[in-house]
Amino acid sequence: MSMLTDFREKSFLDKISILNEVATAKDPEELDGLLELFQNPLEDTSVDYMVVTALNGVLSADEQKAVELLGKEQGKLRTLCIRVCGEFQFKSAVPVLLEMAGDNADPDFLFEVLTSLSKIGGPDSLELFRSNINNDDDLIVVMAIEMLGELKDEQSIPALKEFVDRNNEDDRYEVCDLTTWKAVECLSAIGTDEALDFIVANLHHRNPTVRRVVTDSLTILGAKGIPYLTKVISPESEKDDMILAANVLGFIGDKEGLDVLMDAIEKQYSTDSSVKYAIYEAIGRIGTMKAVISLFDGLEDDDELITVAVMTGLDNLVNPGVTKKLVDIVGQGGSKAGKILRAIVTAQAVNIFQGLYSEGKIGRFLMNAVVASKDSEVHEVFRAKLSEIGGEEAEADISRLPEAVKVGGKRALAADDSKSMLALYRSILTNAGYEPTVAENGQEAYSHIQLNEEFDVIITDMNMPVMDGMEFVAKLRQTDGYADIPVIMVTTESEYSQQELARKTGVNDFITKPFTADQLKAKIAEYVS
């Protein structure tokens, strides 16, 4: 006897119990009873939901019946069968689904069919997805693009490139379409020379979100993308393209990319400080002993930010040879030695600090630089390292560090994906009397806003992974209480259109890399009294 006999006369608890048992047992003998309950519901939300659950369970164990119902039913039962066939990857349903997609122009129905086919997978549905890449419904287009990437359809490359190019036009570049986002990811998944050359050519797409998606896609692609990025690290490339390509090579972290970056330094592909900084930062991120030679070359540069980037990179590569080299350089004295000691403190390079601490006068000068810092976080970091070193001298130096540094009561938030930039911001802001809060991307910065933290000024980079500066500022301005906080965007951009777009999102002003500490302080002072 069926468990569903006289079901409508049962109590509520009995109905739920029976349907649970039917869903677990997946007995095909209960299918007719479930279909009757599904087509003629009891109008009890909980019971009717359990009927659907039980029907899904029974059909999941009977592919033939699910496909049979799929082909002859209409309305909500057909939709349920479409979903069951997709969820349980019934391959025999593919011909039926393809026929249904061709016979029905309703976008909601077509989306259900495409979703089911995407879950089943396989090349049989390729032509259907390809034919819907220019559908009037954006959700269908996105679904089609995602599947073309999964199926690595090279024939779709021209159409995908059109999405990205279209989003670069004067009347479209301000907003990144979801279809453009997916087109970039799809091209990366297809991974042919044509596709990857095109993606790299759009490293500096006019829309910042597209740039971020390109960067993220190439980073995920990893070593396979290095030959294409290498073409951009050249004397003929635009400054902004080289910076972004160097950043991606650093994120990828592959030794092959290190060779490209070291070659760029050795052959002096660019004399621009921003480009050199990006390359040294990337070399430090890759962090192999082979990188040490190039990093030491960076100490010849007068740019303080490059020195901080070098110290950040070297701190992960410290060995007796590195320590000896630094002792030799700093031991020569002069402005270069002072710059290096300050950079060690700014970068919180505790491993380098430990290596130099016992080097007589050098250790004393370095300790004086730590004490001179106005950043309480710097004091805490080096206090912990001194405790680890131990000994009477270390104990005496710990006593020289104040427990807390008084600041002017003002707070600043700085967002940048570069650790050395964040370290420099901390140094500049504390010296200017601000309590700094730093974040490695826009999303992390916005998390402080969600906690209702108050800031007198916000400084943000334009190009960052996860969430770029434009998106961060746009969300900031849409949040109650943050409409009037001054925002300064740090950029290497050369296109006027990018600044105009940033102003529209709510950026008050800009400062261009490279800049000095005094220039940033002066810019902040224009907005904060």
Side-chain angles (χ1 to χ4, degrees), residues 10-146:
K10 305 287 186 183
S11 68
F12 173 78
L13 291 177
D14 284 343
K15 290 173 182 174
I16 296 298
S17 178
I18 290 168
L19 290 170
N20 267 322
E21 190 174 347
V22 171
T24 303
K26 300 181 180 181
D27 187 351
E29 296 298 324
E30 305 294 349
L31 182 58
D32 289 341
L34 287 172
L35 289 172
E36 193 278 326
L37 291 170
F38 180 79
Q39 299 284 29
N40 302 288
L42 279 69
E43 306 301 333
D44 182 315
T45 303
S46 298
V47 175
D48 291 338
Y49 175 80
M50 284 303 303
V51 167
V52 174
T53 301
L55 186 54
N56 269 288
V58 171
L59 288 175
S60 72
D62 193 342
E63 178 173 345
Q64 183 177 348
K65 191 64 178 180
V67 175
E68 179 185 326
L69 289 171
L70 175 69
K72 70 179 184 180
E73 292 293 340
Q74 297 293 323
K76 62 179 184 179
L77 180 56
R78 181 170 64 174
T79 300
L80 183 145
C81 291
I82 291 173
R83 293 174 180 175
V84 168
C85 289
E87 182 179 354
F88 297 99
Q89 298 180 319
F90 291 161
K91 293 191 180 297
S92 61
V94 171
V96 181
L97 290 168
L98 290 174
E99 184 178 352
M100 291 165 64
D103 293 340
N104 196 313
D106 177 62
D108 292 334
F109 178 78
L110 180 58
F111 184 78
E112 290 283 357
V113 173
L114 291 174
T115 300
S116 180
L117 287 167
S118 70
K119 291 178 178 178
I120 296 171
D124 292 341
S125 55
L126 174 59
E127 186 55 46
L128 176 63
F129 286 111
R130 191 185 292 153
S131 66
N132 278 286
I133 196 171
N134 289 309
N135 194 288
D136 292 334
D137 189 294
D138 283 348
L139 286 178
I140 290 175
V141 174
V142 167
M143 173 75 69
I145 291 174
E146 287 180 341

Side-chain angles (χ1 to χ4, degrees), residues 213-477:
V213 177
V214 167
T215 297
D216 290 347
S217 296
L218 288 168
T219 302
I220 292 169
L221 192 64
K224 185 178 178 181
I226 292 176
Y228 306 92
L229 290 162
T230 300
K231 300 174 186 178
V232 184
I233 307 294
S234 73
E236 292 76 30
S237 295
E238 295 292 331
K239 177 183 78 172
D240 294 323
D241 290 335
M242 286 187 70
I243 290 170
L244 292 170
N247 287 343
V248 176
L249 288 172
F251 292 143
I252 291 172
D254 189 90
K255 293 179 181 179
E256 184 182 344
L258 175 62
D259 292 337
V260 175
L261 296 166
M262 290 178 65
D263 204 41
I265 291 295
E266 182 182 346
K267 296 179 180 178
Q268 297 184 350
Y269 285 170
S270 176
T271 58
D272 184 272
S273 291
S274 296
V275 176
K276 289 193 289 183
Y277 164 72
I279 292 175
Y280 281 119
E281 174 93 343
I283 289 172
R285 277 199 179 109
I286 296 172
T288 66
M289 291 309 300
K290 186 178 180 180
V292 170
I293 298 173
S294 286
L295 289 173
F296 271 112
D297 288 342
L299 296 180
E300 300 299 322
D301 200 286
D302 293 331
D303 192 308
E304 186 175 355
L305 180 56
I306 289 178
T307 308
V308 174
V310 168
M311 289 303 143
T312 301
L314 284 176
D315 196 49
N316 298 317
L317 301 169
V318 172
N319 60 29
V322 170
T323 300
K324 184 179 183 304
K325 180 74 171 175
L326 286 171
V327 168
D328 291 342
I329 296 173
V330 175
Q332 297 173 22
S335 59
K336 182 177 179 181
K339 182 185 65 169
I340 290 173
L341 294 177
R342 289 193 302 273
I344 292 170
V345 177
T346 299
Q348 299 179 26
V350 292
N351 297 318
I352 293 175
F353 173 84
Q354 183 171 1
L356 299 181
Y357 182 70
S358 60
E359 294 292 334
K361 288 183 179 180
I362 292 175
R364 294 300 85 208
F365 286 137
L366 181 53
M367 190 63 220
N368 290 340
V370 173
V371 174
S373 172
K374 296 181 180 180
D375 189 345
S376 58
E377 180 180 286
V378 166
H379 292 160
E380 287 302 314
V381 167
F382 285 100
R383 181 181 287 110
K385 178 53 69 174
L386 286 166
S387 296
E388 182 184 321
I389 293 171
E392 292 183 5
E393 187 172 35
E395 288 297 324
D397 283 333
I398 288 174
S399 67
R400 297 175 62 193
L401 297 174
E403 291 296 328
V405 178
K406 291 184 179 180
V407 293
K410 294 176 289 187
R411 297 191 67 202
L413 172 63
D416 200 295
D417 60 309
S418 162
K419 289 184 178 180
S420 49
M421 276 301 303
L422 292 180
L424 190 65
Y425 286 140
R426 288 196 66 91
S427 176
I428 294 172
L429 291 168
T430 51
N431 286 328
Y434 286 83
E435 178 186 345
T437 298
V438 298
E440 293 186 1
N441 55 64
Q443 182 171 293
E444 186 178 324
Y446 189 69
S447 68
H448 293 282
I449 304 302
Q450 290 176 304
L451 294 173
N452 295 317
E453 296 184 39
E454 296 182 359
F455 299 99
D456 297 278
V457 64
I458 294 174
I459 303 161
T460 179
D461 193 22
M462 178 181 284
N463 299 307
M464 295 181 287
V466 185
M467 181 188 290
D468 58 73
M470 299 275 206
E471 186 178 351
F472 165 54
V473 176
K475 292 189 71 171
L476 175 79
R477 295 310 191 200

